[in-house]
Amino acid sequence: MASSQNGASADTTLQSVDLEEEQHESYFQLVWQRFRKSRPAIAGGLMVLSLIILAIFAEFFAPVDPTDANLQDSFIPPTRIRLIDAEGNFHLRPFIYNQVVTIDPKTFEPLWEDDPEQRYDIQFMVKSWEWKILGLFPTRYHLFGVGEGGKIHLLGTEKQGRDLWGRACAAGRISLSLSLFATIVSIVVGAVVGIVSGYYGGVIDNVIQRFVEFVASFPQLPLWLALAAIIPRTWDSLQVFIIMVIIFSLLSWTLLAREVRGKVLAFRETDFILAAKEMGASDARIIFLHLFPNSISHIIVVLTLTIPQIILAEAFLSFLGIGIQEPLVSWGFLMRDAQNLQTLGTHTWIMTPVVFIIVAVLGFNFLGDGLRDAADPYSIV
Amino acid sequence: MSSSKKRTIFFILSLLIVTAMLVNACGGGESEPAAAEAPAEEEAAPAAAEADAEEDAEEAMAEVDLSPTEYPEPQLIVGSREVEKLPLDQILTYKALDSYNEPEWVSELVAEGVLPPVEERLPVEPRVILESGMSDGIGVYGGVWRDFSACPTEGYNRGAGQSAGWFGIEAAAYASLLKSGPIYRRSDSLEPLPYLAKSWEWSEDGYELTMSILEGAKWSDGHPFTTEDVLFSWEDMIVDPNVQSPKGASAWIFEDQMTQLEVIDDYTFKFVFPVAFPVQSLFQMDEGDFHISPAHILKPLHPKYNSEMDYVDFEAAMPPDKTPVVLGEFVPVEYITDELMILRRNPYYWGVDEAGNQLPYLDEVVFEKGPSGVGRTLSTLAGSADHSNLENPSTFIETLKRAEEDDAHFYVEWGPETLGFSIKLNLSTTLGVKDDRDAAVRELFRDTRFRKAVSFALDREGISQSILRGPFLRGWAGGLFPGSSYFDRNTVAYYNHNPEASAALLADLGFEDTDGDGILNWPADRLASGENLVLALVTSEDAEETQTVGDAAVTLLGDLGVQINVRPLNSAARREMNEAGEWEMRVDRDSQTFAVPFTRCRELAPIEREFSFHREGSEPRELLDFEQELVDIALAFCIEPNTDIRRDLMAEYNRISTENVHFIGVFVGRYGLAAAKRFKNVPAGMPVFMYNWTWENVMPEQVWVAPEEQIEQLRPGVIPTYESE
């Protein structure tokens, strides 16, 4: 089947390509060959992969339990990792000093200082609090940590005294999975609607396209604000998460539907589709075995470019307080705490989760750009 | 490896990643409720398990100390000054002086014939601010007060409900019969200060209150102020149901009968009350409640006297672009929509100092307009405003840091502890109840054990520190604010952080985690039997502190197996929700009712049908026993003229309210005042918000600035002028 698609998708025989080599390389191999030549795309892929790994194994990378709230430990600044101690001696093994707080007698500003009396070496693959790999297998191992009594917070702590680094890693679970699910649902809906609309044409196409316009013209922010008010009060954060996925996907499929329709309109009159029709292939067979696979490259590109949009949309809504709520945590939710004078003036580390959002958005955009360039491996550069 | 195999592996790997993320994202149920014992073994007979659970609960209750703890003394905070309290006769009086003075530039206008001489502009016996009540003594003329307003200016028909822009504009421009703001300065009484009404007297039987107003006082256009204005403001504004006056006729109804107002002569009138000595009514004659409207301007435009006008036109009869006729110290003379408002001294203001200087001392007040209240603090930090009320804890430290810098133009002072946040539980049995679960939740809220359980769950000191480190905030039990003059620490039942006690109370209520999911389940004998104990908590989008409290409640109650779904709503959505009764728990910033209970005594307990957290719907309300006790106390308090008895009543109120956890206080802090260092005569220890806000409390007419510190005026030499009819 792959060869028929490939053969049909372009008149490759006209190109000066080594026919023998081409026969041994699938479409995806060609895409990969071209993709890996793009350094930004590889970098983007690695950025995304890093965030995914950090998200899945957040507890492994977190030396302190990110769900462990201690309100008395609120707003501790990031721990400084040292190699030189208070007396000026160099140590090969990195270490930290615990931080102690004093209050400025005039401004009441909390002043955090390292306490040289409380020194803790940083250890790798330490055993401390228990967590479950993939939520299933219990373990006590963590990538790094300090001995009992030591407090290491790479990005400081937030208002409930929870470790911000661990929370930012774990927040990727919601932010990434929400965007991924919402994108996948929107891709499925958009692709099916686009293909059906383009393939059947006529009245069906007309009706579907008007519906697409209707959905595309829906004002999203008022819809969110209305939803925030009417969501049943017994719904917990997970249910709100699911409804967010559904709404995001139902509002973001229209662009893809339009684009796929355009592609299918072009394919509809090509020889391989006409041939399939002549041979008596059913509509479903033509749609799912011919038209859909031929649009897949385009769909993948849209997928990678839609994800960052949804990450930003989720961050925006959670920042406004109408998205994810406690006890779930997303990057946008973490940023909600960064919108006051106190954060800008005193607790600047509360803004650090924005780096995760930037890395994710840049990563997916680089990846998407690379895929877009690589998706049509038969084009002449 | 073939490409198809690679693709398969890639697909499986992707699927695994997505599944792993989902499992991780949703796997939040590891926390085990402290309240719940291990789930009963499946084989065990349910009855036996139930009996075991009951025994466990009883044992837990017996072992845990459920008694309240002592409410601690407040921490001393640098930057707070004691208020210098004085008897009224050392603050102000009403008397004629030998001679009167005015600013030079106003004298020039008199010489030009634009204004009559100052003696003719002032009343026979002007209101005299005494030097003994001035912290910096008699002042000099000139200077500007720069401020900030974050509300749109609708117009100046305040009596018909229009806003001039708040943030002090109303306080600067309008005057009322009495004034509550400066009560905090009085040592002799907690009554409002005389203002336009210079004295009043109760009849022997307490049914009549005769008041005398200033004789010869004039509006800012020179028209005499008389009882005709008072009568018009009463009959055609307050009592007229078609006029949206700030406080309508309902506030003047006692035992279903309306209060009457009778004019005796041009400067004397009396209230005739249906009950004896309703002393609390004095607080309904103060600023913001009994607005005095200019009859000579508005009467001809009132629909009752002018058939061409309707009430909509009438409300807009004093538009923002036209200089209004007012009685206050300053008159708005220029308004640029959403940008700037300039107020200039009122040459007819009826107050003087002891040396005969017509007040105010300042020539000009400028309000910069902005979209949000925090802009006032930011403008003060930036140096473009002279005053801000520090009411948002997240701005405290930044403001203090700026105030400590050498070139800072303002200082910061902290008031009493009257900035409180609490969690309310909806105590109504019917309003907003849609199903069995809702009914079960409301019954639960009405059980004192549950309210205590929530109170015990809250780590108040931790929450205070999580909002703002330092000594600014501390735990609060509910009831009266610690900064209230009626507050007595010994009357507080403080159910502070004690998770074991909370867990024991939840177990005693029959809650147990029967399905092992980390969330307690409703007991079999309740309407929501078997369901998870999930409660909705509403916070406010506009008040960040409510969200922090809400998030902390999710964590702290979650540790005990109570799932809290928190949702921030904007003020409009919250208002609708409150009116429909469709809420369960909510975090509020509490009103000044708990600081100055006498001014709002009917809000202390569910007296009114619209009471904040026990609202009546279509069916009659079922008050809990202790609620009825609170109602009785509040009603007695409202009409009690004796200050000592009022104090005793409030002590009893506070004891009953906190013992029964009427609502769950979370933390209390202080409002801060940021004010320009160049301002003189700002009373020491002046609260930002007590009986009223800063502009009413400071008595702006007495504020002055030394000549060398005065900044340039935007409209020097300008006085309010009016087109002749």
Side-chain angles (χ1 to χ4, degrees):
Chain A
M1 189 52 60
S3 62
S4 75
Q5 293 159 24
N6 295 341
S9 57
D11 278 337
T12 53
T13 49
L14 294 176
Q15 295 176 16
S16 57
V17 185
D18 186 336
L19 282 173
E20 205 174 40
E21 192 183 324
E22 192 201 335
Q23 282 166 357
H24 290 92
E25 288 186 340
S26 71
Y27 171 76
F28 284 103
Q29 281 173 313
L30 288 169
V31 168
W32 169 242
Q33 272 180 16
R34 194 148 162 176
F35 177 79
R36 71 183 177 189
K37 285 180 190 160
S38 164
R39 282 185 185 169
I42 294 291
L46 289 175
M47 285 154 86
V48 169
L49 195 65
S50 309
L51 288 175
I52 291 173
I53 290 171
L54 280 177
I56 296 174
F57 304 107
E59 289 89 350
F60 175 68
F61 294 102
V64 187
D65 185 350
T67 62
D68 187 16
N70 182 352
L71 294 162
Q72 302 284 356
D73 282 345
S74 59
F75 300 121
I76 300 177
T79 311
R80 194 169 150 195
I81 295 170
R82 294 166 175 271
L83 290 170
I84 298 170
D85 65 19
E87 282 87 42
N89 302 319
F90 178 81
H91 299 264
L92 208 54
R93 179 184 280 277
F95 64 93
I96 60 149
Y97 290 134
N98 266 5
Q99 300 181 89
V100 288
V101 65
T102 52
I103 301 287
D104 185 299
K106 285 185 175 171
T107 65
F108 299 107
E109 184 183 8
L111 303 170
W112 291 90
E113 282 173 2
D114 284 358
D115 177 9
E117 301 293 313
Q118 301 186 56
R119 196 190 122 175
Y120 296 91
D121 286 338
I122 294 176
Q123 297 155 352
F124 291 91
M125 295 309 287
V126 292
K127 273 180 95 171
S128 61
W129 51 281
E130 188 180 293
W131 63 286
K132 288 179 178 170
I133 302 170
L134 304 179
L136 301 170
F137 314 108
T139 176
R140 288 183 174 275
Y141 281 100
H142 301 271
L143 180 64
F144 66 99
V146 291
E148 202 169 318
K151 287 178 180 174
I152 179 168
H153 302 290
L154 286 186
L155 300 180
T157 64
E158 43 81 270
K159 63 185 178 186
Q160 291 197 34
R162 293 173 292 202
D163 180 53
L164 200 55
W165 161 252
R167 275 173 72 74
C169 291
R173 292 173 184 166
I174 293 291
S175 294
L176 291 172
S177 57
L178 185 140
S179 51
L180 206 61
F181 281 120
T183 307
I184 288 171
V185 174
S186 78
I187 291 293
V188 170
V189 175
V192 169
V193 171
I195 290 172
V196 168
S197 180
Y199 178 69
Y200 289 108
V203 177
I204 293 176
D205 182 38
N206 207 358
V207 169
I208 289 177
Q209 289 312 307
R210 299 299 80 74
F211 180 67
V212 165
E213 281 156 12
F214 170 74
V215 174
S217 62
F218 223 86
Q220 297 196 10
L221 191 58
L223 179 72
W224 277 112
L225 293 171
L227 273 175
I230 60 161
I231 288 176
R233 55 178 173 250
T234 49
W235 281 23
D236 61 22
S237 301
L238 183 62
Q239 286 165 307
V240 174
F241 166 82
I242 291 167
I243 201 77
M244 281 179 82
V245 168
I246 293 170
I247 297 291
F248 272 127
S249 30
L250 293 185
L251 289 176
S252 60
W253 58 269
T254 51
L255 182 69
L256 182 76
R258 273 282 162 90
E259 289 178 355
V260 171
R261 169 181 171 266
K263 281 243 164 202
V264 171
L265 278 177
F267 283 136
R268 196 169 65 171
E269 306 303 327
T270 53
D271 292 344
F272 76 101
I273 297 292
L274 294 174
K277 275 187 181 171
E278 286 301 315
M279 289 168 75
S282 68
D283 286 349
R285 185 182 173 86
I286 291 172
I287 287 173
F288 290 109
L289 292 183
H290 296 289
L291 292 174
F292 187 71
N294 273 292
S295 307
I296 200 84
S297 63
H298 191 80
I299 289 169
I300 288 172
V301 172
V302 172
L303 183 129
T304 52
L305 295 177
T306 305
I307 288 175
Q309 284 173 16
I310 293 183
I311 289 175
L312 286 175
E314 182 279 319
F316 172 63
L317 290 177
S318 296
F319 181 78
L320 289 181
I322 50 178
I324 293 297
Q325 298 295 342
E326 287 269 4
L328 297 186
V329 56
S330 70
W331 291 326
F333 179 79
L334 288 176
M335 291 308 296
R336 202 184 78 183
D337 290 337
Q339 49 182 314
N340 61 42
L341 198 60
Q342 199 178 2
T343 299
L344 292 171
T346 310
H347 309 142
T348 43
W349 59 91
I350 299 296
M351 291 186 278
T352 47
V354 79
V355 175
F356 285 75
I357 298 177
I358 292 170
V359 170
V361 171
L362 281 181
F364 276 109
N365 276 327
F366 288 158
L367 189 66
D369 278 352
L371 279 176
R372 185 170 56 200
D373 295 341
D376 191 0
Y378 309 110
S379 68
I380 299 166
V381 179
Chain B
M1 194 183 289
S2 74
S3 62
S4 64
K5 272 187 183 171
K6 273 187 191 171
R7 245 179 294 161
T8 311
I9 290 170
F10 178 72
F11 177 74
I12 291 170
L13 210 61
S14 307
L15 201 67
L16 201 67
I17 288 174
V18 170
T19 313
M21 284 172 72
L22 189 66
V23 167
N24 272 290
C26 308
E30 298 116 61
S31 63
E32 287 172 19
E37 298 295 319
E41 285 181 32
E42 283 176 22
E43 299 92 311
E50 210 168 284
D52 283 351
E54 271 175 30
E55 274 174 29
D56 288 348
E58 278 170 21
E59 276 174 28
M61 287 286 281
E63 286 169 12
V64 176
D65 182 10
L66 299 172
S67 56
T69 50
E70 188 185 348
Y71 189 64
E73 294 270 14
Q75 283 193 62
L76 288 173
I77 184 165
V78 178
S80 306
R81 285 187 291 170
E82 281 289 316
V83 178
E84 191 193 351
K85 297 202 174 197
L86 296 167
L88 182 66
D89 59 12
Q90 289 185 35
I91 300 173
L92 60 89
T93 188
Y94 290 79
K95 65 178 179 184
L97 299 177
D98 296 339
S99 63
Y100 299 103
N101 310 307
E102 61 195 348
E104 267 180 44
W105 64 272
V106 178
S107 297
E108 286 169 17
L109 292 171
V110 173
E112 288 168 20
V114 178
L115 284 171
V118 64
E119 294 78 11
E120 291 176 25
R121 301 200 307 268
L122 285 167
V124 180
E125 290 186 333
R127 184 174 187 258
V128 183
I129 306 289
L130 300 171
E131 196 174 354
S132 52
M134 292 176 165
S135 56
D136 296 301
I138 287 173
V140 295
Y141 284 121
V144 184
W145 179 319
R146 301 166 305 162
D147 217 305
F148 186 96
S149 155
C151 290
T153 297
E154 297 167 338
Y156 302 109
N157 196 354
R158 176 75 194 122
Q162 279 199 319
S163 157
W166 300 115
F167 284 74
I169 296 174
E170 271 83 354
Y174 303 146
S176 46
L177 292 172
L178 307 179
K179 195 145 181 149
S180 291
I183 296 176
Y184 71 95
R185 297 184 62 194
R186 288 189 75 163
S187 61
D188 53 344
S189 161
L190 290 177
E191 268 188 355
L193 282 74
Y195 204 38
L196 284 166
K198 60 181 186 178
S199 62
W200 56 91
E201 197 177 352
W202 289 94
S203 63
E204 261 184 47
D205 63 1
Y207 285 89
E208 290 184 5
L209 176 70
T210 305
M211 302 189 100
S212 301
I213 59 168
L214 279 164
E215 190 179 334
K218 294 181 176 64
W219 290 90
S220 58
D221 61 350
H223 194 277
F225 161 65
T226 64
T227 45
E228 192 195 351
D229 296 302
V230 179
L231 188 65
F232 172 72
S233 303
W234 172 260
E235 275 186 353
D236 299 323
M237 306 292 275
I238 291 172
V239 178
D240 188 335
N242 299 308
V243 178
Q244 299 296 314
S245 53
K247 206 160 225 178
S250 64
W252 295 90
I253 293 172
F254 297 89
E255 295 179 355
D256 298 328
Q257 290 183 63
M258 183 62 190
T259 303
Q260 303 298 319
L261 188 149
E262 295 172 12
V263 168
I264 298 168
D265 60 37
D266 273 0
Y267 305 110
T268 321
F269 67 92
K270 70 175 177 185
F271 285 103
V272 181
F273 294 102
V275 294
F277 292 114
V279 284
Q280 201 268 338
S281 298
L282 291 174
F283 287 93
Q284 289 170 195
M285 302 171 202
D286 63 3
E287 62 272 26
D289 293 325
F290 199 119
H291 181 79
I292 303 291
S293 298
H296 67 289
I297 301 290
L298 288 177
K299 203 167 182 177
L301 301 173
H302 195 286
K304 187 169 150 190
Y305 308 102
N306 185 341
S307 57
E308 289 176 13
M309 294 288 287
D310 60 25
Y311 281 97
V312 176
D313 296 336
F314 176 67
E315 187 184 318
M318 297 177 81
D321 56 350
K322 208 172 155 190
T323 302
V325 174
V326 295
L327 282 166
E329 301 91 328
F330 300 93
V331 186
V333 295
E334 192 173 334
Y335 173 56
I336 305 168
T337 307
D338 294 341
E339 283 186 31
L340 200 68
M341 179 183 282
I342 301 171
L343 297 93
R344 297 286 300 173
R345 62 178 300 119
N346 177 0
Y348 289 93
Y349 185 66
W350 30 272
V352 296
D353 65 18
E354 235 174 326
N357 298 311
Q358 189 192 20
L359 299 175
Y361 292 120
L362 297 173
D363 281 340
E364 188 173 276
V365 176
V366 179
F367 279 90
E368 181 191 343
K369 289 282 192 171
S372 87
V374 76
R376 179 167 59 179
T377 303
L378 296 175
S379 293
T380 306
L381 295 185
S384 61
D386 293 324
H387 146 247
S388 183
N389 297 338
L390 305 179
E391 49 193 291
N392 179 356
S394 66
T395 63
F396 286 5
I397 288 179
E398 294 314 308
T399 311
L400 278 172
K401 277 161 73 178
R402 178 76 187 96
E404 282 302 312
E405 290 173 15
D406 293 338
D407 63 340
H409 75 295
F410 68 92
Y411 66 94
V412 174
E413 188 165 27
W414 300 97
E417 291 179 304
T418 57
L419 172 62
F421 287 76
S422 66
I423 296 177
K424 306 276 169 33
L425 308 185
N426 194 341
L427 297 179
S428 172
T429 48
T430 52
L431 189 66
V433 172
K434 290 179 177 166
D435 51 30
D436 284 353
R437 183 205 155 273
D438 289 352
V441 166
R442 300 296 175 82
E443 273 311 312
L444 181 65
F445 288 171
R446 290 164 66 87
D447 193 317
T448 307
R449 288 175 296 172
F450 182 73
R451 296 194 301 277
K452 281 185 186 171
V454 176
S455 184
F456 274 131
L458 298 180
D459 176 4
R460 291 175 170 81
E461 298 310 318
I463 293 173
S464 303
Q465 293 303 302
S466 77
I467 288 169
L468 183 62
R469 271 198 177 271
F472 298 100
L473 313 172
R474 63 168 176 145
W476 175 42
L480 298 177
F481 286 140
S484 168
S485 54
Y486 287 97
F487 179 78
D488 177 356
R489 197 168 63 87
N490 298 315
T491 61
V492 178
Y494 193 32
Y495 299 102
N496 199 17
H497 191 212
N498 184 348
E500 289 79 26
S502 184
L505 283 165
L506 288 167
D508 188 46
L509 284 160
F511 288 99
E512 194 188 356
D513 183 13
T514 51
D515 53 11
D517 66 351
I519 302 169
L520 297 175
N521 297 83
W522 285 82
D525 56 353
R526 302 253 185 177
L527 285 171
S529 167
E531 286 183 32
N532 277 343
L533 178 54
V534 181
L535 301 170
L537 175 69
V538 172
T539 60
S540 169
E541 276 180 16
D542 312 323
E544 192 190 334
E545 292 75 21
T546 65
Q547 294 172 28
T548 306
V549 171
D551 291 347
V554 172
T555 306
L556 294 167
L557 284 161
D559 288 345
L560 295 161
V562 182
Q563 184 181 319
I564 300 290
N565 291 342
V566 67
R567 188 177 306 161
L569 293 180
N570 62 30
S571 52
R574 267 176 75 104
R575 193 168 52 247
E576 276 176 32
M577 174 199 79
N578 289 340
E579 284 168 8
E582 291 177 356
W583 60 281
E584 290 176 359
M585 302 167 75
R586 66 167 199 246
V587 187
D588 286 343
R589 184 170 88 173
D590 284 290
S591 76
Q592 293 312 86
T593 305
F594 304 113
V596 284
F598 196 60
T599 62
R600 304 182 185 192
C601 59
R602 294 178 77 83
E603 294 170 20
L604 284 167
I607 297 171
E608 310 286 352
R609 292 177 71 239
E610 299 81 17
F611 181 71
S612 160
F613 53 100
H614 194 164
R615 208 179 168 92
E616 189 164 297
S618 53
E619 292 172 47
R621 200 164 46 175
E622 294 173 42
L623 290 184
L624 293 161
D625 291 345
F626 83 89
E627 282 186 296
Q628 188 58 54
E629 285 181 61
L630 294 177
V631 167
D632 295 342
I633 292 172
L635 286 173
F637 179 71
C638 283
I639 55 168
E640 178 52 59
N642 184 303
T643 309
D644 290 336
I645 300 175
R646 287 215 299 255
R647 202 172 291 281
D648 291 344
L649 284 168
M650 273 304 96
E652 187 62 2
Y653 169 87
N654 206 37
R655 188 186 61 75
I656 294 172
S657 175
T658 53
E659 270 182 5
N660 292 282
V661 199
H662 190 206
F663 61 93
I664 302 149
V666 181
F667 71 88
V668 66
R670 300 161 192 271
Y671 286 93
L673 169 73
K677 289 175 183 170
R678 67 176 195 282
F679 286 170
K680 303 284 190 286
N681 272 352
V682 175
M686 183 189 76
V688 157
F689 191 22
M690 192 75 170
Y691 293 89
N692 214 310
W693 291 93
T694 302
W695 262 91
E696 300 286 2
N697 303 348
V698 72
M699 298 170 60
E701 67 272 30
Q702 67 171 11
V703 174
W704 59 278
V705 179
E708 65 276 12
E709 291 181 309
Q710 291 180 1
I711 57 174
E712 205 178 331
Q713 299 177 26
L714 291 180
R715 299 287 178 270
V718 170
I719 57 160
T721 51
Y722 301 91
E723 293 165 16
S724 54
E725 288 176 24

